Amino acid sequence: MNGLMQQHALLISTLLTHAERHHGDQEIVSRRVEGDVHRYTYRDLGERARRMANALAAHGISFGDRVATLAWNGYRHMELYYAVSGSGAVLHTLNPRLHPDQVVWIADHAEDQVLFFDLTFLPLIEAIAPRVKTIKAFVAMTDRTRMPSGSGVPNLLCYEDLIEAHAPDFAWPSFDENTASSLCYTSGTTGNPKGALYSHRSTVLHTYAAALPDALNCSARDVILPVVPMFHVNAWGLPYIACMVGAKLVFPGPWLDGKSLHDLFESEGVTVSAGVPTVWQGLLAYVEGNRKSFTTMRRTIIGGAACPPAMMSAFQDRYDVQVLHAWGMTELSPVGTVCTLKPKHQALDDDARRAIQAKQGRAVYGIDMKIVGEDGRELPHDGKASGELMVRGPWVISRYFKGEGGDPLVDGWFPTGDVSTIDPDGYMQITDRSKDVIKSGGEWIGSIDLENIAVAHPAVALAACIGTKHPKWDERPLLVVVKKPGADVTREELIASYEGKIAKWWTPDDVVFVDDIPLGATGKIQKNKLREMFKHHCLPTA
Ligand code: AMP
């Protein structure tokens, strides 16, 4: 017997319609690329998103087409989140920190039709425009007076002209909730970047779960400032959560340094923020160095990389800002676990409580987790056994866009490439990573690309690249090299050989020369052994 409840598709446009109707006067504040602070409301967001939806249709964007962005966190980007997905097209947020060759590769792979960009990225657009295969128009996210002249970018349109030229009447279409809504590529895998293609259903379910009190804990009484970029897994879902709960939103634009962020926190009364540890280091250094405090900030969500214990205690003990340590992945939309305490933990002493908070946390409802040993057998949740973390749930990928990499699932579970423990209370703690990628300041560096460049050098016989601990960036690449017999090359020469071939920040910080690199039975480099060998390696200071 079926239940007798109404069937309504879980569509992203319903989040905006809700915010417009029930929180129409709630503010959205953006520090703009143009340098000023822009303010408007959810009502304005709704109206402009509908104008943009009309503009997209007028320019031939149809159901399922990919619409790319290269943009900071700001209100125009937010409008595209809703205009594109709401009208049935797919929002593809490109990462501007990648090398132009990778941006071209990803845009071609996604078959993007239009690319919207903030003016900051004009040089990148100029570099990629002649090379991308499917993009028919580029839209500068600015007004007519600031449009670049003589840029040579073909089919260049002006965002504000499009808004002005199109009517605000647009009925958000209704369609199957499993329709693709947005696309985000991850470089956190081996081989080429792979696309996680989210659906309306997965996004709305993720929004419900991620907003919960024991997850990101967001409400209409909050003022949310996402530092995590909107090109990183949809800013961890905060642009959707804010609409669902009706919170005031504050966007920092490109100004992510400690002073700019702190000024904005204080002037806008921010209560919740979210970002990777690296960005909080800059903020804490500024606050400490200038004897500032946080007058309204109550919580900060830290994820993307492990939150260092010193950072946690600085926020909590010195500034009375609660740290929510969270773990997730592009493939998980991204929220998987959040570390909030249970009532029984209140009785613990500070050290014991801190030890729990250092963990990556408990699964939010919707995410099922287990850990498995090398033989694939499930390991106990005793807080001691560590194995590969596997997850499943309605906002976990079933496969990558266009089937890249084949079927990623093992018996219906997604292998995360993270190695962890799970304790009897369900708290997961990452202990290692089995995937051969390096995460620096919250961004992936592909070790294989770095190794390929190294072995192309005539003096190099074998090369392996691993991440080593770095106080600011969490991890930085270290290149381990075996020279060819009789050949010679210096550290400096090898580092110089990366020039122009990769994004500059991917360049290895150091090179060590060794006689042998440990290989496994199948001839594969044993990165875990190398990581162990060089875990205390001291990287040169820049
Ligand atoms: P991304 O897909 O770029 O969001 O990266 C996901 C990966 O980042 C995870 O698989 C982990 O390796 C790492 N990660 C995310 N959050 C944490 C965390 N809180 N602690 C440690 N590693 C993390």
Side-chain angles (χ1 to χ4, degrees), residues 186 303-306 325-330 360 418 433 435 439 444:
T186 177
H325 195 193
W327 168 88
M329 296 180 74
T330 306
Q360 276 72 8
D418 288 319
R433 194 185 288 148
K435 46 196 172 194
K439 209 169 199 199
W444 292 114

Side-chain angles (χ1 to χ4, degrees), residues 34-329:
E34 289 93 333
D36 55 354
V37 173
H38 173 274
R39 296 174 182 277
Y40 73 177
T41 63
Y42 279 108
R43 196 170 294 119
D44 302 319
L45 166 70
E47 185 195 312
R48 285 170 54 96
R50 280 180 270 118
R51 285 178 186 270
M52 184 48 74
N54 277 323
L56 292 169
H59 281 80
I61 295 299
S62 50
F63 208 73
D65 280 350
R66 268 76 73 199
V67 174
T69 60
L70 269 171
W72 299 108
N73 293 7
Y75 67 103
R76 292 186 181 117
H77 207 174
M78 180 84 168
E79 289 161 8
L80 291 168
Y81 262 54
Y82 286 94
V84 175
S85 305
S87 51
V90 178
L91 181 83
H92 173 205
T93 48
L94 281 159
N95 184 342
R97 297 198 176 122
L98 296 176
H99 188 276
D101 289 351
Q102 284 179 310
V103 176
V104 170
W105 188 92
I106 293 172
D108 285 349
H109 188 269
E111 298 173 60
D112 293 331
Q113 301 295 304
V114 181
L115 197 166
F116 287 76
F117 67 97
D118 270 332
L119 286 179
T120 326
F121 304 121
L122 182 62
L124 177 56
I125 298 294
E126 286 171 335
I128 67 167
R131 301 172 55 199
V132 287
K133 294 197 187 82
T134 55
I135 299 179
K136 299 190 198 83
F138 295 85
V139 185
M141 293 162 73
T142 190
D143 58 28
R144 177 116 310 267
T145 59
R146 293 181 177 87
M147 279 298 281
S149 56
S151 71
V153 175
N155 303 322
L156 183 61
L157 303 172
C158 167
Y159 189 94
E160 290 302 329
D161 282 359
L162 291 178
I163 293 277
E164 216 176 285
H166 292 90
D169 314 309
F170 181 87
W172 297 113
S174 190
F175 42 77
D176 182 349
E177 64 187 17
N178 293 301
T179 302
S181 60
S182 51
L183 177 63
C184 194
Y185 279 73
T186 177
S187 310
T189 55
T190 46
N192 285 323
K194 295 185 181 66
L197 185 64
Y198 312 113
S199 70
H200 284 258
R201 175 187 155 82
S202 71
T203 304
V204 174
L205 291 176
H206 175 267
T207 308
Y208 273 120
L212 284 170
D214 268 358
L216 307 188
N217 188 11
C218 296
S219 84
R221 293 164 295 287
D222 277 313
V223 181
I224 305 175
L225 187 150
V227 178
V228 49
M230 289 166 84
F231 55 78
H232 264 183
V233 215
N234 303 323
W236 299 350
L238 289 168
Y240 304 118
I241 293 173
C243 274
M244 180 177 272
V245 303
K248 173 175 167 182
L249 253 181
V250 183
F251 288 125
W255 289 276
L256 303 177
D257 59 282
K259 178 175 179 352
S260 304
L261 285 177
H262 185 261
D263 286 355
L264 204 55
F265 281 175
E266 291 299 304
S267 62
E268 298 303 328
V270 171
T271 61
V272 186
S273 191
V276 295
T278 310
V279 86
W280 301 133
Q281 271 174 1
L283 177 67
L284 282 176
Y286 171 78
V287 172
E288 273 160 25
N290 295 277
R291 296 175 185 279
K292 303 275 184 189
S293 61
F294 295 101
T295 52
T296 57
M297 258 279 267
R298 291 201 296 271
R299 307 184 284 295
T300 179
I301 303 144
I302 302 186
C307 175
M311 178 173 288
M312 202 171 278
S313 50
F315 269 120
Q316 300 194 154
D317 304 338
R318 235 172 293 156
Y319 300 110
D320 207 18
V321 174
Q322 186 200 357
V323 170
L324 290 175
H325 195 193
W327 168 88
M329 296 180 74

